[in-house]
Amino acid sequence: MKFSPALVALTATSLVSSHRILLTQSTSRQPQSLATQNESVPAGAAYFITNEPDGNYIIASDIGADGKLTFKHAIWAGGRGAHGLMEPLAPDGLFSQGAIRVAGKNVFTVNAGSNTAVMFSIDPNEPTKLRMVGGPVSSGGEFPVSIAISKQSGQVCVLNGGRLNGVNCYKQDPSLGLVQMSNTLRSLNLNVTTPPSGPVGTVSDVIFNEDGTQLLAAVKGVPPAEGFVASWAVDPTSGDLAEDFIRTASPPSGVPFSMTIIPGKDAVLSADPIGGFDIFDFRNAQQGSSTAFPIPGQLALCWTTFSKETGNFYLIDAGTSIITEVNVDSNLNATIVNQYPQASGGATIGTIDSDVANIDGTEFFYSLAALTQSVVVLSLNAPGKTTPVQQFSFQDAVSEAGIKTDPNNLKGMALFVGQ
């Protein structure tokens, strides 16, 4: 099976945008607040990062009751972004999923160019108004690309993908932010540089398993060699990680790029741009297994998310800009339910990181379309059925605020919904 060239080269298209804002700018390197003229009570907020080498910003947009986005604030993330080495440059400079995540009333993200991670608190009444808690802290390695939060304990772990690679974990403190935990700095022992050359041969994603007893990190293979998922046991009392990880190999030539929990099955679904997606089954605690499932015609299928309402997974292809809906049954067999093209005429808008949120009983899907500097919003009406809601262009708004963006650097998608 040949490796898709679109995984390592995407051609940038023209940048489009039409949204305008009023700017209130603070001094020095402090966060900048960007207020729109159309004020309303938001249902929640959407966040992604600029990941620019000269300053990384969180772009925060209101989510309306209709699921639509309105750009609101840009908040300095306390460091610099970075782009991995590839020729030519293309979107997804971190070669990863999970560069920014929301847990409870907090946002967590990474500064790949500064080797730091950082925590922000969310104002539920104005969820695009973020406050840095404490300050950026060392990631414990180089080129951090993904971050995970345990639903059970709140433990936060960062995945580093540079020369010093592996994982490192923290406690959340309401005043100090991220506080280093002992006995959690663990190496993957990969022979890579800082920044790494990719996307193949690099780390991909870090998550806790469903019950919080394992920390999982995905690593892409370099075809024909397979990739793998590393799993460390998590001590339920201290949060300490096992000294060594268990290695579960991907299918042959596999490039596991993302991980999304399959509810109730001790398994994860991983996008794999070699041919489609993989399912990693960890029900055997001593040695997991993996199975490949093809998606014909895919080019750069790298990101995944899950809908509780439809019970299905949504796989995102940057090369074709097609969203593929997949169902996984109780035996971990998978079938394609439907596909949703987001561009016409063979073009691509570079859909990458995505997430799903429930707004007043309706689930909405949000995908960062890096090449057009926009966000695709779909309504998930039922299994196999979606409705386009918005293609939210943000380039002009961010540029007018004095914030630099580059389609090749934009990264992440995380959502907060008010209670």
Side-chain angles (χ1 to χ4, degrees):
M1 183 177 293
K2 293 184 178 180
F3 180 66
S4 169
L7 174 64
V8 295
L10 294 173
T11 303
T13 61
S14 60
L15 309 179
V16 297
S17 178
S18 60
H19 187 58
R20 302 183 68 82
I21 59 168
L22 299 175
L23 168 64
T24 302
Q25 181 171 341
S26 59
T27 60
S28 186
R29 296 283 291 175
Q30 299 302 310
Q32 299 186 17
S33 177
L34 314 169
T36 67
Q37 299 184 60
N38 182 22
E39 300 291 344
S40 60
V41 178
Y47 314 98
F48 58 89
I49 57 175
T50 63
N51 189 39
E52 286 293 318
D54 55 0
N56 183 26
Y57 281 79
I58 299 172
I59 303 301
S61 300
D62 280 345
I63 301 176
D66 57 1
K68 293 183 178 180
L69 299 180
T70 304
F71 178 53
K72 192 67 181 258
H73 293 286
I75 306 95
W76 184 46
R80 301 185 303 274
H83 198 297
L85 303 177
M86 60 190 307
E87 185 63 40
L89 287 181
D92 186 32
L94 301 185
F95 313 138
S96 71
Q97 177 168 286
I100 183 169
R101 284 193 162 118
V102 169
K105 296 179 182 178
N106 295 309
V107 174
F108 305 85
T109 193
V110 294
N111 294 298
S114 301
N115 302 326
T116 60
V118 63
M119 169 180 167
F120 291 83
S121 65
I122 300 170
D123 180 349
N125 296 316
E126 191 178 348
T128 55
K129 185 178 181 181
L130 303 179
R131 179 181 63 86
M132 187 183 293
V133 185
V137 298
S138 170
S139 67
E142 296 174 355
F143 203 75
V145 301
S146 183
I147 196 161
I149 306 94
S150 169
K151 292 182 179 180
Q152 287 76 18
S153 67
Q155 182 171 341
V156 179
C157 295
V158 171
L159 177 64
N160 291 292
R163 184 180 62 87
L164 298 176
N165 52 78
V167 295
N168 190 37
C169 302
Y170 314 85
K171 294 180 180 178
Q172 299 181 42
D173 185 280
S175 299
L176 301 176
L178 297 176
V179 177
Q180 175 69 51
M181 296 176 64
S182 61
N183 298 316
T184 64
L185 181 61
R186 300 292 183 261
S187 178
L188 283 163
N189 299 309
L190 303 176
N191 184 20
V192 295
T193 59
T194 301
S197 296
V200 296
T202 62
V203 302
S204 302
D205 196 0
V206 63
I207 62 172
F208 286 87
N209 70 346
E210 193 169 19
D211 63 9
T213 60
Q214 299 281 328
L215 182 69
L216 311 176
V219 178
K220 308 174 198 71
V222 181
E226 76 275 0
F228 65 94
V229 171
S231 58
W232 289 269
V234 181
D235 186 282
T237 302
S238 66
D240 291 359
L241 302 184
E243 287 289 339
D244 300 314
F245 62 82
I246 296 174
R247 185 185 192 275
T248 300
S250 73
S253 299
V255 183
F257 207 107
S258 68
M259 290 187 292
T260 299
I261 294 291
I262 300 174
K265 294 300 175 186
D266 200 10
V268 300
L269 184 147
S270 174
D272 188 334
I274 282 298
F277 62 98
D278 307 324
I279 289 180
F280 288 83
D281 182 355
F282 301 107
R283 288 176 292 185
N284 182 340
Q286 299 303 314
Q287 184 60 60
S289 61
S290 62
T291 305
F293 295 85
I295 294 183
Q298 75 85 32
L299 293 178
L301 201 151
C302 301
W303 301 271
T304 53
T305 189
F306 177 74
S307 164
K308 291 182 180 179
E309 291 297 315
T310 68
N312 290 335
F313 295 82
Y314 295 82
L315 286 61
I316 299 91
D317 190 326
T320 64
S321 296
I322 292 175
I323 313 301
T324 299
E325 182 177 354
V326 168
N327 177 264
V328 179
D329 69 18
S330 59
N331 296 315
L332 298 183
N333 295 314
T335 55
I336 295 174
V337 177
N338 208 343
Q339 293 187 299
Y340 311 103
Q342 301 304 308
S344 59
T348 178
I349 59 176
T351 44
I352 54 173
D353 300 84
S354 304
D355 202 357
V356 171
N358 190 305
I359 308 296
D360 295 328
T362 300
E363 282 205 325
F364 293 92
F365 169 93
Y366 297 84
S367 185
L368 178 60
L371 289 177
T372 53
Q373 299 204 47
S374 63
V375 178
V376 170
V377 185
L378 305 176
S379 173
L380 305 181
N381 304 325
K385 297 181 180 179
T386 68
T387 299
V389 172
Q390 182 187 27
Q391 185 162 339
F392 167 62
S393 299
F394 56 80
Q395 182 193 2
D396 284 352
V398 175
S399 178
E400 193 168 318
I403 306 299
K404 180 182 177 182
T405 58
D406 183 320
N408 293 330
N409 293 331
L410 294 167
K411 197 76 188 86
M413 178 60 63
L415 307 173
F416 170 83
V417 177
Q419 303 301 319

